[in-house]
Amino acid sequence: MSKKIGRLYSAALTGIDATIIEVEADVNVGLHSFTIVGLGDRSLNEAKERVNSALKNSGIKPPNRENRKITINLAPADIKKTGSHYDLAIALGYLLATKQMRDFESDDKIFLGELALDGRLRPVSGALNIAEKAAREGFAYLFLPRENANEAAAIDGITVVAVEDLRGMIRILEGRCAGERTRFAEGSRRSEAAADLSEIVAQENAKRAIVIAAAGAHNILLLGPPGVGKTFLSRALAGIMPDLTTSESIETTKIWSAAGLSPGGLIRERPFRAPHHTASITALVGGGQDPHPGEISLAHHGVLFLDELPEFQKNVLEALRQPLESGMVHLARAKQSVAFPAKFILIAAMNPCPCGYYGDEIKECKCSAYEVVKYQKKISGPLLDRIDLQVKVGRVTIEALDEGSASARKGETAAAKGIVARARAAQVARRGTLNGEMTSRETGETVALAPDSRSLIAALDTSHFSPRGYYRMLKVARTIADIEGSADVSSRHLAEAFSYRLKDIF
């Protein structure tokens, strides 16, 4: 019998980036063994059991029926392979090596899919990421489970073929039936933020602040007693942000897909993530033995809401400092280093003290001075310095609630969304980036101060701003000017921006 090596292609995920993997299958006569080499993890090494059962239950002679030494090589061998999506390629490689199926042109095809024991294909993570890489590398076809097909079809330049099971895959490759070529069908993942501005009574100052935050991608802290609407305002922020652009949508969906949260299409609405305060560093920032995206990356191009901010572990909060500056989180491990995008708006909410009523005009605070200081010290100065807007949310009277009419403010969210869209368009036209994402150098070049603002700048020097705090205040002032359609930043814009960056917000 002439010797043949089955050779085809799959892909590996490292972070959110894909690498093309060559899958080779070699079969020799000898004592039976089934070995997978190429730096695979446990789920990959278990593929031999899934493949064996899937072949048998698909009516194909499985590897354990004869004395054969089977070697599966995944190249390049120095890249760690994780996951079960290599099953389909391994099974097909075995069939080619044992000549149980006709040869086919494999150089232009990528194969993905986990095999069930009966031969069905189960969905996998990272379909969009792999489709993008395959198209860029010149592959013509991507074969994968039906559940992943629409997501992958969002990428132009590659034909996506949905496959139900192993037998169907064989029939397609041997030309006995035409594969189902998937055309992308638009869909979206609904936002978790359902709050409407019109439902928030009073709190005009806080509403103004979240419009500014949404317009310029600024971080914001809401401080106030329990039950005054901080959570509601936070959810309303995501509702006034514009829908994702196509490039933002693809980048966001790639992160979700790599995390195993495939939406079945492209995410079109801004993500809103609200992790519980018991979240660990790994859950929030990302990581693990095989690094995966955390909550801050799942909130990319969207909103990260941290309720009860002081209740988070201090080391978890401090881990946010670098991503808030760079918009990326870099995770270094002994054998690999990955980077995940993490460009989000942070909106945090907190009470001023453990009981929640420190400084309240009506209800007396029951906390001791020590308890108040200890509670407030849970938020470090460097973290607070990275929050552009720090807003006190006051108590709303029962009388105001009774008189408040949501119907009278029905178009408030739509109006705010229009303001945000116009301000963002002005920023993108000016520098190609939002104000909150500018570097200090870009801020100095962009913020044109009107003559009447110079005297106020000199007065602000007595407030002992850090350089970071000063430039962040300028960014907020620039956003306020953009909202008003002003080319220059006047003293009025600076004064409002300064009111959101008081040195002592407590």
Side-chain angles (χ1 to χ4, degrees):
M1 181 176 74
S2 61
K3 186 78 178 291
K4 177 177 174 57
I5 293 179
R7 182 178 289 107
L8 26 72
Y9 296 93
S10 189
L13 272 182
T14 303
I16 64 169
D17 298 319
T19 303
I20 303 300
I21 299 297
E22 184 175 344
V23 180
E24 299 174 306
D26 179 49
V27 179
N28 286 308
V29 176
L31 292 177
H32 173 71
S33 66
F34 194 149
T35 307
I36 299 176
V37 298
L39 207 59
D41 68 347
R42 181 171 179 176
S43 64
L44 179 53
N45 286 322
E46 291 173 349
K48 53 192 175 184
E49 306 299 338
R50 293 190 298 271
V51 169
N52 186 75
S53 294
L55 289 169
K56 179 185 67 176
N57 293 319
S58 298
I60 302 166
K61 186 185 296 184
N64 63 0
R65 290 288 298 274
E66 297 182 7
N67 288 331
R68 287 175 170 174
K69 181 179 180 181
I70 304 161
T71 304
I72 304 295
N73 180 44
L74 306 178
D78 59 342
I79 295 178
K80 187 173 183 179
K81 289 85 175 179
T82 62
S84 57
H85 61 273
Y86 301 96
D87 289 5
L88 179 59
I90 291 172
L92 293 174
Y94 168 77
L95 292 175
L96 288 173
T98 56
K99 300 183 179 180
Q100 294 189 69
M101 68 177 294
R102 290 200 294 266
D103 283 347
F104 60 89
E105 176 58 50
S106 63
D107 289 343
D108 61 348
K109 297 176 178 65
I110 294 281
F111 299 92
L112 300 176
E114 175 186 329
L115 285 172
L117 298 185
D118 60 0
R120 289 177 296 111
L121 285 183
R122 291 194 169 116
V124 296
S125 302
L128 182 70
N129 316 50
I130 294 171
E132 184 181 59
K133 176 66 173 180
R136 195 161 56 240
E137 293 291 324
F139 286 85
Y141 298 94
L142 173 60
F143 296 89
L144 77 177
R146 182 178 300 280
E147 292 87 343
N148 297 120
N150 189 58
E151 175 189 331
I155 301 298
D156 294 328
I158 190 167
T159 299
V160 175
V161 182
V163 183
E164 291 283 356
D165 53 35
L166 181 58
R167 281 181 290 189
M169 181 78 266
I170 296 170
R171 286 195 297 268
I172 292 170
L173 294 175
E174 291 186 335
R176 289 185 278 143
C177 72
E180 181 184 334
R181 302 190 178 192
T182 304
R183 294 184 179 275
F184 178 64
E186 187 60 74
S188 69
R189 177 183 175 275
R190 297 302 301 169
S191 173
E192 298 173 27
D196 190 290
L197 280 178
S198 64
E199 300 177 57
I200 303 172
V201 178
Q203 307 296 12
E204 299 305 321
N205 186 54
K207 289 182 184 180
R208 168 73 170 175
I210 67 168
V211 170
I212 295 170
H218 301 291
N219 303 317
I220 178 171
L221 171 67
L222 301 177
L223 174 79
V228 296
K230 300 187 295 293
T231 300
F232 216 76
L233 285 162
S234 301
R235 292 189 175 276
L237 172 62
I240 62 176
M241 295 173 68
D243 290 342
L244 295 167
T245 64
T246 300
S247 61
E248 288 175 338
S249 182
I250 290 174
E251 189 174 20
T252 302
T253 307
K254 283 172 62 179
I255 297 171
W256 281 66
S257 184
L261 300 172
S262 173
L266 290 182
I267 296 173
R268 288 297 187 185
E269 294 185 0
R270 303 275 170 179
F272 181 86
R273 302 295 296 179
H276 192 260
H277 60 75
T278 56
S280 65
I281 286 184
T282 300
L284 194 68
V285 178
Q289 185 174 0
D290 300 315
H292 59 273
E295 290 290 335
I296 64 174
S297 294
L298 294 174
H300 186 57
H301 291 314
V303 176
L304 177 70
F305 174 45
L306 300 184
D307 200 6
E308 306 296 346
L309 188 66
E311 301 301 331
F312 283 82
Q313 297 179 37
K314 189 176 181 65
N315 61 339
V316 173
L317 293 181
E318 295 306 301
L320 292 175
R321 286 160 54 176
Q322 183 264 334
L324 284 173
E325 287 291 322
S326 65
M328 295 287 292
V329 55
H330 298 271
L331 303 173
R333 297 294 182 267
K335 294 184 179 180
Q336 62 177 325
S337 179
V338 299
F340 294 112
K343 194 177 292 183
F344 56 91
I345 295 178
L346 170 65
I347 181 164
M350 63 177 289
N351 300 324
C353 67
C355 81
Y357 295 101
Y358 177 74
D360 190 85
E361 297 177 355
I362 299 177
K363 191 165 183 177
E364 181 182 358
C365 175
K366 303 296 184 181
C367 305
S368 68
Y370 171 76
E371 289 174 326
V372 173
V373 171
K374 181 180 178 182
Y375 187 79
Q376 295 174 359
K377 289 295 184 183
K378 291 182 179 180
I379 313 302
S380 70
L383 178 62
L384 195 60
D385 203 37
R386 289 168 167 82
I387 300 178
D388 306 337
L389 300 102
Q390 301 151 6
V391 184
K392 289 186 177 180
V393 184
R395 177 187 293 275
V396 180
T397 65
I398 300 298
E399 183 180 4
L401 290 173
D402 189 51
E403 294 176 354
S405 173
S407 60
R409 305 183 303 274
K410 192 172 183 180
E412 195 170 0
T413 292
K417 195 166 185 175
I419 291 171
V420 170
R422 289 191 294 273
R424 286 188 168 221
Q427 295 164 46
V428 172
R430 182 168 54 239
R431 291 203 68 96
T433 186
L434 299 179
N435 291 335
E437 299 167 358
M438 291 191 299
T439 64
S440 298
R441 179 181 60 80
E442 291 171 338
T443 303
E445 295 171 352
T446 301
V447 179
L449 297 174
D452 68 341
S453 63
R454 295 293 178 181
S455 59
L456 180 59
I457 288 291
L460 292 179
D461 195 41
T462 61
S463 297
H464 307 292
F465 272 97
S466 69
R468 180 193 295 115
Y470 169 71
Y471 281 113
R472 284 186 175 271
M473 184 193 68
L474 289 184
K475 295 177 189 180
V476 173
R478 178 65 266 176
T479 298
I480 295 170
D482 289 331
I483 289 174
E484 297 184 0
S486 174
D488 294 331
V489 175
S490 69
S491 59
R492 185 180 72 258
H493 304 140
L494 277 173
E496 183 177 359
F498 175 69
S499 72
Y500 298 124
R501 282 200 66 85
L502 299 178
K503 182 174 178 56
D504 183 4
I505 66 168
F506 302 108

